[in-house]
Amino acid sequence: MKPVLAAALASSSVAIAQQPASPLKYPEAHTVDQVDDYFGTKVSDPYRWMENVDSPEVKTWVDAENALTRSYLDPIPGRDAIKSRLLALTDYERYSAPGRQGKRYFYSHNTGLQNQAVFFWQEGLSGEPHVLIDPNTLSKDGTVALNGMGLTDDGKLMAYALSDAGSDWVTWHVRDITTGKDLPDVVEWSKFSGASWTKDNSGFFYEGYERPDKLSKESSLKSANYFHKIYFHKLGTPQLSDPLVFERPDDKELNVGGSVTDDGRYLVISMNRGTSPNNQITIKDLEHPDAAPVKLVTTEEAAFDPIANDGTYFWFKTTLDAPNGKVVGIDLKHPERENWKTLIPETKNSLDGLTMVHDTLIAQYLADAQSLVELHARDGKLIGRYELPAIGTASGFGGKRTDTETFFTFTNFTTPATVYRLDMATMKTTVYRQPKLKFDPAKFETKQVFFTSKDGTKVPIFLSYKKGLKLDGQNPTLLYGYGGFNISLQPQFAPSYVLWMEMGGIYAQVTLRGGGEYGEAWHQAGMKLKKQNVFDDFIGAGEWLIANKYTSTPKLAIQGGSNGGLLVGACVTQRPELFGAAVAQVGVMDMLRFDKFTIGWAWKADYGAPSENKEEFEAIYKYSPLHNLKPGTHYPPTLITTADHDDRVFPAHSFKFAATMQKDQAGTNPVLIRIETRAGHGGGMPLSKRVDLTADEYIFMVKSLGMTVDLSQ
């Protein structure tokens, strides 16, 4: 049953007082005499003990901090109204774009307020839906999540991965799709993995780590993961007999991945150093397992993404001599580089995605962080531009080279994802599934503006708000960014954005360097020794919004998660006087020790190596949020969020940052930390927990910015 929503929303208008007159009393956090030497620079780490996250003393501190945070947030009037409206906006049907395997179509569906989306299959486009797997039934609290799946070519078997409490570690199971029953096969100690089946359904390739003899719960969430490997699991056999298919014992920092081509003949193996998009490519002929693999790309000078193949002929998307991306054709009979042929040359726009359906290359570009789609023949010749419904984000266009149809979703800040079907033979587009709205999108508008960053670079921001906005500097504004790892932020719908705009706020999403919106050059302009550019862009966005009367410092909040949490931490320490509130989500705050935990070492590709390279240490030390907090500084109201099972960004990052900031804070602005239990980095978090988290973040910003909660419709 759906929860009963508040009936009195029409009269939900609550004025919120700003900060308390006296400072909060923070939980006691003792210090230790820990000093590390980085190339002659002595750096103290007084809260090193917090890295032992399961110790009794850390638990005592966490419980006390959570109690303080609840005592601050719970009495603020308006939280219940915010949560009720957020639930109402979230209560709409959501579908993924379907994918076809054999005659069966597979897709996810959330009726509205389900903790996790349910996965279905059906025979044909209009067949009866059958539940494939319902993650909501896997645990009482919704914290066991589906974390990946791989389907056989005929759609009869599925390998699926489950993660517990948000962990990156997954366990693979195999399900007979027709009967809905699981086979006895179980594969553990897998991480950052897919499941790619052989053509004959005999088994699947997966990625993982060598199973340790002994690994405690804490160390499994903390220990660094090296020597990623590819294994093959043959159905009906125990995991201990799974053969090792590929490894690189000469290089512990290569993450590997294997994918079987649609024709079942080849295993394409990609090797990335950490999170770098640049990779090596090796191709193994599965029909001739004794044949030497083709080492197609042996250096990491560029990114190579396999798109499709026709026998020995492969199409690849690459950034080789083309930072915005291009398409090349390579024949394994003549794999030498001089025989490669450019089919679609680089353009001014970033080639963000590429698929081949009906022997047509569907090229998805980013034009100022908005989707632009072109269709090309298999030889690269331009067929034409595919017109999208509006300005926004299109994603999907999946399928096989021989398929005659494809599906995609389209969304923007005020449009929930609508699923479209494109008939590749007739080029006719039809709406396949469209959600019913719980708000009027005509009340809002979005525009993109550009400002000049500190070094003269033009940087775009998307601004979304209620129509009739007055430029009087009094608009509550939420500035959001990421800026790293070649990840692109495009227009996307979220009920929380609509809620913020309904409360009179501006949602501002800035396209920072370090992302992939303008290709690899844009990414490289915000990484390693140039990481400060990302913070300058974000600070510049805030200054532009204030200078142009969209908002003012007391009304400006900043928010970001993961690498975006680092962004918020760095900007708060560099320009504490610029912002009215800060929300730092699961952030990388200790930039001198990020590489010591779980997969953190992989981020050296983007951040640099603080323990190995003096120049990179010096650049990192200048912006590391933990190490740039200063005693006696007036920091803005700050809410730090993390989770006790985050094995992506180790929670000690947030623990140490919060304890230090609380100690250093001058004045009465609160510094709070909210530690979610049985949750990880965010992936697979049940909807109930996500709604509670957003309600807490929003009521914190409402109080900090002196907003009025008015949700009358």
Side-chain angles (χ1 to χ4, degrees):
M1 293 179 61
K2 298 178 182 178
V4 178
L5 302 180
L9 284 177
S11 59
S12 299
S13 181
V14 183
I16 307 297
Q18 287 190 276
Q19 302 314 316
S22 58
L24 296 174
K25 181 174 175 56
Y26 298 110
E28 182 178 350
H30 72 270
T31 59
V32 296
D33 294 326
Q34 175 68 44
V35 178
D36 300 308
D37 189 319
Y38 296 87
F39 306 99
T41 298
K42 301 294 195 298
V43 180
S44 63
D45 191 3
Y47 299 111
R48 178 72 61 85
W49 59 274
M50 290 184 171
E51 293 178 2
N52 187 11
V53 294
D54 282 339
S55 69
E57 58 184 350
V58 171
K59 185 179 187 306
T60 297
W61 180 83
V62 165
D63 289 345
E65 289 285 355
N66 272 339
L68 174 65
T69 299
R70 292 263 55 92
S71 71
Y72 181 88
L73 297 178
D74 288 347
I76 304 173
R79 184 186 183 280
D80 288 345
I82 287 174
K83 182 177 178 180
S84 293
R85 182 57 182 159
L86 183 58
L87 283 168
L89 290 168
T90 304
D91 190 11
Y92 69 95
E93 282 193 299
R94 298 182 289 284
Y95 288 91
S96 69
R100 184 177 62 82
Q101 298 293 116
K103 296 180 179 180
R104 293 173 171 175
Y105 289 81
F106 298 84
Y107 60 93
S108 67
H109 174 221
N110 191 311
T111 57
L113 296 177
Q114 291 174 287
N115 272 327
Q116 309 282 355
V118 180
F119 285 79
F120 292 84
W121 69 273
Q122 63 188 47
E123 296 280 355
L125 276 176
S126 57
E128 179 185 354
H130 302 273
V131 173
L132 178 60
I133 185 168
D134 182 357
N136 300 291
T137 65
L138 300 175
S139 62
K140 291 183 178 180
D141 60 0
T143 58
V144 174
L146 190 64
N147 203 338
M149 68 168 60
L151 298 161
T152 56
D153 191 57
D154 58 9
K156 292 183 178 180
L157 294 172
M158 170 184 70
Y160 66 96
L162 299 180
S163 64
D164 183 48
S167 173
D168 282 332
W169 288 106
V170 300
T171 299
W172 289 95
H173 304 266
V174 178
R175 178 157 295 182
D176 182 310
I177 293 171
T178 303
T179 66
K181 303 295 185 181
D182 280 354
L183 304 183
D185 301 74
V186 175
V187 173
E188 299 178 298
W189 298 108
S190 177
K191 204 175 197 182
F192 312 122
S193 174
S196 192
W197 288 86
T198 56
K199 194 77 169 178
D200 61 3
N201 295 6
S202 63
F204 59 91
F205 297 91
Y206 67 95
E207 292 78 45
Y209 295 92
E210 190 170 334
R211 183 168 187 160
D213 293 330
K214 293 182 180 180
L215 195 62
S216 68
K217 174 186 174 184
E218 180 188 347
S219 59
S220 71
L221 298 175
K222 176 179 179 180
S223 299
N225 305 131
Y226 292 112
F227 297 112
H228 208 210
K229 308 174 194 297
I230 301 176
Y231 296 91
F232 178 73
H233 178 69
K234 183 176 177 59
L235 287 187
T237 64
Q239 182 183 1
L240 289 176
S241 65
D242 288 356
L244 175 63
V245 175
F246 185 83
E247 65 174 337
R248 284 291 301 270
D250 60 312
D251 197 333
K252 69 178 184 179
E253 293 189 353
L254 285 177
N255 285 328
V256 299
S259 179
V260 178
T261 54
D262 287 341
D263 60 8
R265 179 172 177 180
Y266 298 101
L267 179 69
V268 181
I269 299 169
S270 178
M271 294 154 273
N272 298 69
R273 187 167 305 282
T275 55
S276 171
N278 296 349
N279 60 329
Q280 302 176 37
I281 294 287
T282 291
I283 299 180
K284 183 177 177 63
D285 190 337
L286 298 178
E287 290 184 2
H288 302 90
D290 295 330
V294 177
K295 296 182 179 180
L296 194 63
V297 182
T298 57
T299 62
E300 297 151 44
E301 59 187 304
F304 288 83
D305 299 316
I307 305 306
N309 73 297
D310 186 357
T312 61
Y313 191 84
F314 279 75
W315 289 264
F316 277 89
K317 170 180 171 286
T318 181
T319 56
L320 181 67
D321 302 321
N324 283 346
K326 65 180 180 181
V327 179
V328 297
I330 303 173
D331 194 329
L332 296 187
K333 294 177 181 177
H334 306 284
E336 299 79 16
R337 189 167 294 193
E338 59 266 24
N339 297 318
W340 297 2
K341 183 179 180 181
T342 296
L343 303 177
I344 302 178
E346 181 185 26
T347 73
K348 66 176 182 178
N349 295 318
S350 173
L351 181 55
D352 187 54
L354 190 74
T355 57
M356 180 176 265
V357 181
H358 196 54
D359 270 330
T360 302
L361 290 162
I362 305 175
Q364 302 170 56
Y365 289 96
L366 290 180
D368 292 328
Q370 303 170 35
S371 289
L372 182 154
V373 178
E374 289 182 353
L375 304 177
H376 294 256
R378 54 182 282 152
D379 63 359
K381 183 179 179 181
L382 177 65
I383 297 172
R385 179 178 295 183
Y386 179 73
E387 295 300 326
L388 296 171
I391 293 174
T393 301
S395 57
F397 298 101
K400 298 180 176 64
R401 184 177 63 84
T402 55
D403 286 350
T404 58
E405 65 179 354
T406 187
F407 297 84
F408 68 94
T409 60
F410 181 82
T411 183
N412 54 36
F413 294 115
T414 56
T415 304
T418 297
V419 181
Y420 292 85
R421 178 180 181 268
L422 171 60
D423 186 318
M424 296 297 295
T426 65
M427 295 309 298
K428 180 181 179 182
T429 302
T430 54
V431 174
Y432 185 61
R433 283 171 173 143
Q434 187 171 28
K436 296 179 181 179
L437 305 183
K438 299 293 181 71
F439 67 98
D440 182 3
K443 293 182 178 180
F444 309 100
E445 62 180 299
T446 297
K447 69 177 181 179
Q448 187 181 46
V449 298
F450 291 79
F451 70 93
T452 303
S453 192
K454 185 176 181 179
D455 65 354
T457 300
K458 293 290 185 183
V459 177
I461 320 177
F462 289 105
L463 301 175
S464 298
Y465 45 80
K466 274 185 181 178
K467 290 180 178 177
L469 182 77
K470 295 181 180 179
L471 297 180
D472 58 3
Q474 296 303 305
N475 301 297
T477 300
L478 176 54
L479 179 62
Y480 182 86
Y482 187 79
F485 298 99
N486 200 38
I487 292 173
S488 300
L489 289 187
Q490 295 178 251
Q492 293 284 348
F493 176 80
S496 57
Y497 302 161
V498 175
L499 173 60
W500 183 257
M501 291 186 282
E502 285 184 343
M503 294 194 299
I506 298 172
Y507 176 72
Q509 183 171 291
V510 59
T511 306
L512 304 169
R513 280 176 283 184
E517 295 88 351
Y518 290 97
E520 182 57 19
W522 190 255
H523 172 215
Q524 292 183 8
M527 56 186 279
K528 290 191 174 181
L529 301 182
K530 298 179 180 179
K531 187 66 177 177
Q532 183 59 41
N533 285 337
V534 183
F535 313 135
D536 289 342
D537 290 352
F538 201 59
I539 290 168
E543 292 175 333
W544 186 91
L545 289 167
I546 293 170
N548 287 272
K549 303 295 185 183
Y550 283 91
T551 192
S552 55
T553 288
K555 298 292 184 180
L556 176 60
I558 56 175
Q559 182 185 42
S562 194
N563 175 74
L566 159 64
L567 169 73
V568 170
C571 290
V572 160
T573 56
Q574 292 182 18
R575 292 293 303 277
E577 82 292 348
L578 184 62
F579 310 110
V583 177
Q585 305 161 307
V586 291
V588 190
M589 301 304 195
D590 183 349
M591 289 301 296
L592 299 185
R593 289 179 60 76
F594 71 83
D595 57 337
K596 308 299 182 188
F597 311 114
T598 65
I599 200 61
W601 61 265
W603 311 335
K604 292 188 293 185
D606 228 65
Y607 295 146
S611 302
E612 304 161 24
N613 184 298
K614 185 175 186 293
E615 187 178 20
E616 290 174 350
F617 158 74
E618 291 173 347
I620 289 168
Y621 192 43
K622 287 180 181 178
Y623 71 75
S624 175
L626 177 64
H627 302 98
N628 284 278
L629 291 164
K630 302 288 191 298
T633 303
H634 288 265
Y635 293 107
T638 301
L639 176 63
I640 301 154
T641 69
T642 187
D644 62 350
H645 279 72
D646 190 342
D647 55 2
R648 183 82 56 81
V649 177
F650 193 50
H653 281 279
S654 293
F655 294 174
K656 293 198 285 186
F657 184 73
T660 306
M661 196 178 200
Q662 288 175 348
K663 174 179 65 68
D664 291 349
Q665 174 72 304
T668 61
N669 286 339
V671 175
L672 302 173
I673 181 168
R674 183 190 189 279
I675 302 121
E676 187 62 80
T677 58
R678 282 195 56 76
H681 197 58
M685 181 182 285
L687 184 143
S688 57
K689 285 182 179 287
R690 295 200 307 270
V691 167
D692 278 334
L693 174 60
T694 300
D696 283 345
E697 291 170 340
Y698 273 23
I699 200 62
F700 177 81
M701 288 188 281
V702 160
K703 182 174 178 66
S704 300
L705 304 184
M707 297 170 62
T708 296
V709 179
D710 185 357
L711 294 173
S712 57
Q713 299 301 301

